[in-house]
Amino acid sequence: MSVLVLPPELTHRQASPCLRMLVQGLPSQTGPAVVVDAGSLKLFDSSALAVLLEFRRESLALGKQFAIRGLSPRLADLAKLYGVAELLIPA
């Protein structure tokens, strides 16, 4: 299983390029699941959630399961606040 890694910073300014990078890496994911590693993500805003949710949608549209690992407690709390925590399944 290969893993797609988020950058250390993911704010509104980096959201579109980051999503493009993730979507471009999607065809190289040969297994049944796509795993995103958020362990290096240190500086973020709600745009990080938007990127993850859109990438999840893209993954599911291709018939891939979506999971995330290394989700920081701060990002998990933000996901709870926005009511989307159940969509970010830990790997």
Side-chain angles (χ1 to χ4, degrees):
M1 162 181 54
S2 56
V3 176
L4 298 170
V5 179
L6 292 181
E9 183 175 335
L10 182 47
T11 60
H12 179 72
R13 191 169 52 130
Q14 297 88 13
S16 291
C18 181
L19 180 59
R20 258 192 317 275
M21 175 204 61
L22 291 170
V23 170
Q24 287 173 351
L26 198 49
S28 69
Q29 303 301 302
T30 57
V34 175
V35 177
V36 174
D37 186 346
S40 64
L41 188 59
K42 303 297 180 220
L43 179 63
F44 57 86
D45 60 18
S46 60
S47 298
L49 287 179
V51 167
L52 288 170
L53 293 172
E54 178 60 20
F55 185 64
R56 176 185 180 272
R57 189 188 69 75
E58 294 280 342
S59 300
L60 295 175
L62 291 177
K64 304 274 188 183
Q65 297 170 0
F66 174 85
I68 187 164
R69 73 177 184 196
L71 192 66
S72 73
R74 284 181 35 234
L75 189 54
D77 287 345
L78 190 60
K80 287 177 193 169
L81 178 68
Y82 280 94
V84 296
E86 68 280 354
L87 300 175
L88 301 178
I89 309 294

